[in-house]
Amino acid sequence: MGQERRERVATSLADAVGEEIGASLTPVDAELERRYPGDPGTRQPVHTVYVPGDAFAAGTLRTWGDRALAALDAHAPDAASLAAVLGLDGDLAEDVYDRVRAKLEREPVEDLRVDFEDGYGSRPDAEEDEAAARAARIVAETYDDGTAAPCTGIRVKCMEAAVRDRGIRTLDIFLTGLLEAGGLPDGLVLTLPKVTYPEQVAAMARLLGAFEEARGLALGRIGFEIQIETSQSILAADGTATVARMIQAAGGRVTGLHYGTFDYSACLGVSAPYQASDHPAADHAKAVMQVAAAGTGVRVSDGATNVLPVGPTEQVHAAWRLHYRLTRRALARAYYQGWDMHPGHLPTRYAAVFAFYREGFARAADRLARYVDRAGGDVMDEPATARALAGHLLRGLDCGALDGAEVARLTSLSRAGLEGLASPRRGDRTAFAR
């Protein structure tokens, strides 16, 4: 009496059926693991800054930070003035403004690419040799003295026949110089532009493998990003999504896909006044990139705006509003990285990023805390949403939009706890240090 009735459990299938199905799907399980390993768990920079190889110097980052601060002083000297330009609420504006200034003083650039492609142009071989060797020396020195950006590397010329040998030689000089100066830094990033065919990606992978073998490095140590700048990189002649084939052609070496706003737009015949990251052609390309990269561990980056915040204050404010709007638009579409072409873009890059994470902070933290505590609420979140919420807070922490103490206070989770929720793989990966 009073005891719950225990149900009789009956089955019809023999154990051999499940075993047979499991055996038949073993290759698929392995393929899923290989092709879709999930997010790598490392910090993704919020932007990439390109500096021509001949202009790069040991003090480049500090110069960019100082010029960005000077732009704030000249055109938005306090939180209220920046709020008026960008449409920020009062309390949020104060917090964002203070964090932007602190970021520009502490870490003005998160990802630096020394450019030997469009930003550098065609130079005599001896001159480019010298510039590549110099870039390697300076990068090594800045890592040694702690002034390097968390991510730093070079963009070489593409794999097309006219410039292929030059790009290979520049890459060899740069990597060799880093090794001879003490080794490859953890934040090293290489960028391969104007990729059209998966075979060009495979060639880059073979090149890096040959370098690793020549210098006794672990196979797969060096990865690279692909710039998506041609229509053929999105849709191949046979109708397939080329970018998905490119990721596989790299053999696990691809770390990012970067959208090239202006080359891609021009390739499609978009008129110069309409070449922008919010053009429908751009949205289509990035959507294809995003789907192709999902689950592979490859990150997607938006492009840039070429409207520079220079000139009189009214003109600067107009450029800032445009850059802020485009950055917020990209963040809402889960493009968490973009390009910045001018020091004057840094204030609005960080203002947009910080506002994005701080506006959603309290709500995201509450939802995550309720999920962990299995408490009720007005939203019933799935495990996939909990992963997204944890990832959101981690990105906010990484860039400086959020502080560890406030995140822990509202979620009762440490960083390790957040990493465990964001991905089972994240807990045993190390994000690059700020």
Side-chain angles (χ1 to χ4, degrees):
M1 293 291 293
Q3 293 183 346
E4 292 184 3
R5 176 180 175 180
R6 300 189 63 180
E7 297 292 340
R8 176 177 175 272
V9 177
T11 63
S12 301
L13 296 175
D15 291 344
V17 175
E19 293 169 0
E20 180 184 350
I21 290 175
S24 71
L25 290 178
T26 295
V28 173
D29 295 337
E31 187 75 350
L32 282 170
E33 180 68 19
R34 183 181 72 84
R35 289 183 182 271
Y36 302 103
D39 189 86
T42 53
R43 173 185 168 189
Q44 181 180 12
V46 302
H47 69 167
T48 300
V49 163
Y50 283 77
V51 176
D54 58 333
F56 176 55
T60 292
L61 298 192
R62 188 62 265 150
T63 297
W64 273 61
D66 290 343
R67 290 177 63 187
L69 286 165
L72 271 181
D73 291 339
H75 305 293
D78 52 42
S81 55
L82 187 64
V85 176
L86 304 181
L88 296 172
D89 293 336
D91 291 342
L92 177 64
E94 290 284 349
D95 193 358
V96 166
Y97 190 83
D98 290 344
R99 288 175 184 272
V100 168
R101 292 198 70 97
K103 180 76 169 181
L104 295 175
E105 291 166 356
R106 181 186 75 252
E107 187 184 75
V109 174
E110 290 197 355
D111 185 21
L112 175 70
R113 206 71 71 251
V114 185
D115 191 15
F116 286 93
E117 200 232 356
D118 284 349
Y120 184 76
S122 179
R123 310 286 183 94
D125 284 340
E127 183 177 341
E128 185 161 340
D129 284 354
E130 175 72 17
R134 176 174 168 273
R137 174 180 58 80
I138 294 174
V139 168
E141 290 173 353
T142 56
Y143 270 102
D144 286 343
D145 64 20
T147 61
C151 285
T152 304
I154 64 170
R155 177 170 71 169
V156 296
K157 292 176 173 63
C158 69
M159 281 289 177
E160 293 177 359
V163 294
R164 182 186 304 139
D165 290 344
R166 181 62 261 179
I168 290 172
R169 181 170 175 81
T170 296
L171 182 62
D172 188 4
I173 292 170
F174 180 74
L175 293 177
T176 300
L178 286 177
L179 281 178
E180 294 185 351
L184 302 182
D186 290 338
L188 175 66
V189 188
L190 308 176
T191 304
L192 180 66
K194 294 181 175 60
V195 181
T196 304
Y197 288 91
E199 290 82 357
Q200 295 168 325
V201 174
M204 181 68 163
R206 288 197 301 272
L207 175 64
L208 295 176
F211 184 89
E212 290 162 351
E213 183 177 1
R215 297 305 300 242
L217 300 175
L219 184 64
R221 164 65 178 85
I222 309 172
F224 63 99
E225 302 168 333
I226 299 172
Q227 281 199 277
I228 303 299
E229 301 177 273
T230 67
S231 60
Q232 297 89 345
S233 62
I234 294 298
L235 188 67
D238 62 0
T240 60
T242 317
V243 64
R245 294 166 55 206
M246 288 176 177
I247 292 172
Q248 297 307 315
R253 291 184 186 270
V254 172
T255 59
L257 302 173
H258 286 232
Y259 176 68
T261 305
F262 307 106
D263 283 277
Y264 188 87
S265 298
C267 182
L268 267 63
V270 178
S271 298
Y274 301 99
Q275 292 178 358
S277 61
D278 59 348
H279 189 279
D283 285 341
H284 171 260
K286 287 179 287 188
V288 174
M289 292 161 58
Q290 190 174 46
V291 173
T296 66
V298 176
R299 270 78 175 265
V300 174
S301 173
D302 199 3
T305 174
N306 59 359
V307 179
L308 304 184
V310 297
T313 294
E314 182 178 354
Q315 187 171 318
V316 171
H317 285 179
W320 274 355
R321 281 190 288 269
L322 173 65
H323 187 237
Y324 180 85
R325 179 181 66 79
L326 291 174
T327 303
R328 287 298 303 260
R329 183 180 189 272
L331 290 167
R333 286 159 173 76
Y335 309 133
Y336 299 114
Q337 185 175 355
W339 297 9
D340 288 323
M341 300 179 70
H342 188 274
H345 284 139
L346 299 185
T348 38
R349 169 67 61 183
Y350 292 123
V353 170
F354 293 168
F356 174 76
Y357 288 111
R358 294 209 66 80
E359 284 175 356
F361 168 49
R363 178 65 167 159
D366 178 67
R367 287 177 64 180
L368 192 60
R370 288 180 177 276
Y371 174 85
V372 172
D373 294 339
R374 301 185 184 277
D378 59 351
V379 179
M380 183 178 292
D381 287 320
E382 299 284 341
T385 304
R387 288 197 296 272
L389 290 167
H392 179 87
L393 297 180
L394 285 167
R395 284 189 292 273
L397 285 168
D398 285 339
C399 69
L402 306 177
D403 301 324
E406 62 180 350
V407 172
R409 184 174 67 254
L410 293 188
T411 66
S412 299
L413 291 169
S414 65
R415 183 181 179 98
L418 289 172
E419 289 173 343
L421 281 170
S423 170
R425 302 172 188 277
R426 290 193 74 138
D428 56 5
R429 305 292 181 95
T430 302
F432 59 74
R434 273 188 286 150

